[in-house]
Amino acid sequence: MAAQIWYEKDGDLSVLEGKKVAIIGYGSQGHAHALNLRDSGVDVVVGLRANSKSVEFAKEQGLEVKTVADATKEADIIMILAPDQYQRTIWSEEIEPNIKEGAAVGFAHGFNIHYGYIKPTADHPVFMVAPKGPGHIVRREYVAGRGVPVVVAVEQDPRGDGWDITLAYAKAMGALRAGAIKTTFKEETETDLFGEQDVLMGGVNHLVETGFEVLTEAGYQPEIAYFEVCHELKMLVDLMNEGGLNKARWSCSDTAQYGDFTSTVVDESTKDRMRYQLKRIQDGSFAKEFIDDQDAGAPKFKELQEKFSHEKIEEVGPKLRAMFSWNKDVKDADEAQSFTGKIARSQVQ
C-alpha cells in the first residue's frame, strides 16, 4: 500500500491561532522548531532549566524563555525535544503536574511513548512531527523557502483534532513544503532505532573502522587506508542521495561494481544479526538496557564513548581532512559541531 503523504495545501495554520506552543529544549531540533514556528506566526515559548546554557542562546534569537513548569502552565501544545533519556523525568517532575487539561503533547521521536516511559492521560492529544534531518538543516531549509520532509503520527486523539494539530504544526515547521509521511509511533521508533544501530551508525561506522584496521594491519599506509575506506564514502552517499543505489553503482568503474556484486562481507549471517537486533528493539530490551544504564549514571555509555573516540582511524583523519579544499573552514565546521553538541546536552538538564 502506498504511503499517505501530505503537502502544503493539507495543513491549516489557523488551527494554531490563539494557541501557545511550548518548545521544551533548545538543542539541535529545539532551536529549529522554535524559530521556524515563530517565523510562521505561531506564539512560541521555550521551556528550559533556569540555569541552562541554552537560555541565552534562545533569548538572543528574540524568543520568550521560561522554566519548563511555567512554559507548560500556559501552553496549549507542548513539544518535548529533550534527549530520550531525560524526557520521562522532565515529564513527571515539570510537565505532568503543570499541564493544562486537554493540552496536546508532541514529540519528534516516539521512544518514550512507544515504550511506555511517558503516559499522558486520555484527555491529551499525542502527536509526532519528526524531521528527517538534523535541526540546523531544518532551520536552513526553512529560511531558504524550502523544507525538510517529516514523518507524522497521532497516538491519542480524544477530540478528533489530532491530525489537524499535527499537520498545522508540520506546516509551521516548513515541512509540508517537502512532504509529511503518515506513520505510527511504533513504526517510527522501531525503524529509527534499527537504522541507527544496524546501518547508519552501527553499520557504516564499524565497516569504516574495521576496513581501516584490516588495511593498516596488513602493512598499508594509514593515509592511503583512510582515503579508501572513509574519504570516498561521502562520494557514494552523495550519489545515493541523488539517484539511489543504482546511480552510485553506475557512477563507479566496472571493477568496483564487480567487486560490489561479488563481496561476501555482508551476507545472510549479517541479515540474521540484524534480525536479532530488530527483535531487541521490538521487545523493548534495547530500550530497557539503554535507560537502565542512563539511570545508573551511564557507566557503560561513557565507557563506550571513551573507547570509540580513540579509534586508530581518528589519529590520521584530522590531518587528511585538512587537505580537502572543498571542506572550507574545516576548523569552523568542527567548532560548529562542538557547539551543537554542547547545546544539545545542555537543553534542560
Side-chain angles (χ1 to χ4, degrees):
M1 186 175 69
Q4 183 167 358
I5 305 177
W6 288 284
Y7 295 100
E8 279 282 273
K9 63 180 176 58
D10 301 307
D12 182 2
L13 287 179
S14 69
V15 171
L16 303 180
E17 288 180 4
K19 292 184 171 60
K20 189 85 166 186
V21 177
I23 303 297
I24 308 302
Y26 201 71
S28 177
Q29 287 294 334
H31 88 280
H33 285 238
L35 293 172
N36 289 10
L37 262 66
R38 189 271 311 274
D39 290 352
S40 291
V42 178
D43 187 8
V44 173
V45 59
V46 176
L48 293 167
R49 286 183 302 112
N51 62 344
S52 170
K53 295 177 182 179
S54 298
V55 170
E56 289 308 312
F57 299 144
K59 286 184 176 179
E60 286 171 4
Q61 298 296 320
L63 291 162
E64 180 184 15
V65 181
K66 295 189 176 183
T67 65
V68 174
D70 286 344
T72 297
K73 288 176 183 176
E74 62 185 51
D76 303 290
I77 299 170
I78 302 161
M79 174 58 74
I80 304 175
L81 296 171
D84 291 332
Q85 65 268 37
Y86 303 120
Q87 288 187 11
R88 65 190 174 123
T89 302
I90 295 167
W91 171 262
S92 63
E93 295 181 358
E94 304 290 337
I95 298 176
E96 191 171 29
N98 296 295
I99 192 170
K100 291 164 61 174
E101 183 178 350
V105 184
F107 298 84
H109 180 38
F111 186 97
N112 279 279
I113 291 294
H114 177 55
Y115 292 119
Y117 292 110
I118 293 176
K119 298 178 180 179
T121 55
D123 63 302
H124 297 292
V126 177
F127 70 99
M128 176 169 55
V129 176
K132 304 315 293 178
H136 69 279
I137 301 294
V138 172
R139 178 59 179 163
R140 185 188 73 190
E141 291 300 287
Y142 177 93
V143 171
R146 300 184 295 264
V148 170
V150 292
V151 296
V152 293
V154 172
E155 184 77 3
Q156 289 184 179
D157 192 9
R159 300 187 299 263
D161 61 350
W163 281 109
D164 292 337
I165 294 170
T166 303
L167 294 179
Y169 189 101
K171 183 166 184 171
M173 282 281 294
L176 297 190
R177 300 169 183 172
I181 301 175
K182 184 179 182 181
T183 186
T184 64
F185 273 68
K186 171 182 168 62
E187 182 177 60
E188 186 277 337
T189 302
E190 294 177 357
T191 57
D192 184 77
L193 293 177
F194 177 82
E196 291 169 350
Q197 292 176 30
D198 297 301
V199 180
L200 305 177
M201 302 291 288
V204 172
N205 285 356
H206 292 302
L207 274 176
V208 169
E209 291 164 355
T210 303
F212 180 84
E213 290 171 1
V214 168
L215 287 176
T216 55
E217 288 168 4
Y220 298 102
Q221 295 181 77
E223 292 81 3
I224 301 301
Y226 182 91
F227 279 134
E228 298 303 331
V229 304
C230 185
H231 168 63
E232 294 187 14
L233 183 62
K234 182 182 185 304
M235 173 195 71
L236 279 175
V237 171
D238 287 346
L239 289 167
M240 289 180 200
N241 186 57
E242 293 171 8
L245 295 178
N246 281 338
K247 182 167 185 177
R249 285 174 168 141
W250 296 338
S251 300
C252 295
S253 69
D254 290 352
T255 312
Q257 286 190 60
Y258 187 78
D260 173 6
F261 300 147
T262 59
S263 173
T264 58
V265 171
V266 177
D267 58 15
E268 281 300 313
S269 65
T270 309
K271 200 170 184 178
D272 288 340
R273 291 192 295 275
M274 284 184 166
R275 291 188 180 108
Y276 169 74
Q277 291 298 109
L278 179 58
K279 185 176 184 301
R280 294 190 70 240
I281 291 168
Q282 291 172 329
D283 66 18
S285 56
F286 167 78
K288 184 177 187 304
E289 178 184 321
F290 173 69
I291 292 297
D292 286 349
D293 182 62
Q294 290 290 321
D295 286 350
K300 182 175 181 179
F301 179 67
K302 291 174 182 176
E303 178 186 343
L304 293 171
Q305 271 191 324
E306 177 66 18
K307 173 186 174 182
F308 285 104
S309 67
H310 296 291
E311 291 293 311
K312 291 181 180 178
I313 193 170
E314 288 304 324
E315 295 174 9
V316 67
K319 178 177 68 175
L320 296 183
R321 288 193 291 272
M323 297 169 61
F324 308 150
S325 61
W326 53 93
N327 281 354
K328 66 182 182 68
D329 301 326
V330 171
K331 182 172 180 292
D332 291 344
D334 288 343
E335 289 176 351
Q337 182 182 34
S338 174
F339 169 79
T340 300
K342 287 176 183 175
I343 63 173
R345 288 189 291 274
S346 69
Q347 291 178 43
V348 288
Q349 302 167 35

